Amino acid sequence: MTTEEDVLSGHLQELRRGTVVVASLATLRTPGYGYALLETLDRAGFGVDANTLYPLLRRLEKQGLLVAEWNTDESRPRKFYRTSPEGEAVLTALRTDWRALDAAISDLA
């Protein structure tokens, strides 16, 4: 039997799924590694699992919204990401739409 808590949890998960894209594009305006992004998002209240974030980063890279480069200066090579110009444009559009949706919801209440 589904509890009210389970229903809420599912809806919160859906809501957060899209916001992690916005948060990642915004955060990665400054180049960063996946693990550092996980920590930054967690501190900001976006508790995202690594098994969710890394496929998201690969998808955003494939879509041309992130640029990825390998840093081989350290003993262990690490991939870092930064928001591309296309990613900046998508981020701007998503933020604009987010604000419009928030205003529309506020008007309903």
Side-chain angles (χ1 to χ4, degrees), residues 33-55:
Y33 300 96
Y35 185 75
L37 178 60
L38 272 173
E39 291 180 329
T40 299
L41 293 177
D42 189 54
R43 282 192 308 271
F46 292 90
V48 61
D49 187 77
N51 292 329
T52 300
L53 185 66
Y54 287 105

Side-chain angles (χ1 to χ4, degrees), residues 1-78:
M1 184 165 149
T2 304
T3 67
E4 186 177 322
E5 190 174 302
D6 292 336
V7 171
L8 176 60
S9 177
H11 286 295
L12 287 173
Q13 185 177 7
E14 280 184 52
L15 181 62
R16 287 182 178 268
R17 192 172 292 134
T19 60
V20 170
V21 171
V22 175
S24 296
L25 290 173
T27 303
L28 291 172
R29 288 172 148 171
T30 302
Y33 300 96
Y35 185 75
L37 178 60
L38 272 173
E39 291 180 329
T40 299
L41 293 177
D42 189 54
R43 282 192 308 271
F46 292 90
V48 61
D49 187 77
N51 292 329
T52 300
L53 185 66
Y54 287 105
L56 172 70
L57 293 174
R58 287 190 294 275
R59 180 170 55 89
L60 295 175
E61 179 187 7
K62 188 175 181 180
Q63 293 171 343
L65 304 181
L66 292 178
V67 175
E69 297 172 2
W70 285 96
N71 179 348
T72 56
D73 296 340
E74 299 175 20
S75 60
R76 189 173 135 217
R78 297 196 304 181

Side-chain angles (χ1 to χ4, degrees), residues 21-23 25-26 29 83 86-96:
V21 171
V22 175
L25 290 173
R29 288 172 148 171
T83 304
E86 294 85 358
E88 284 285 342
V90 167
L91 174 61
T92 298
L94 291 173
R95 282 180 153 170
T96 299

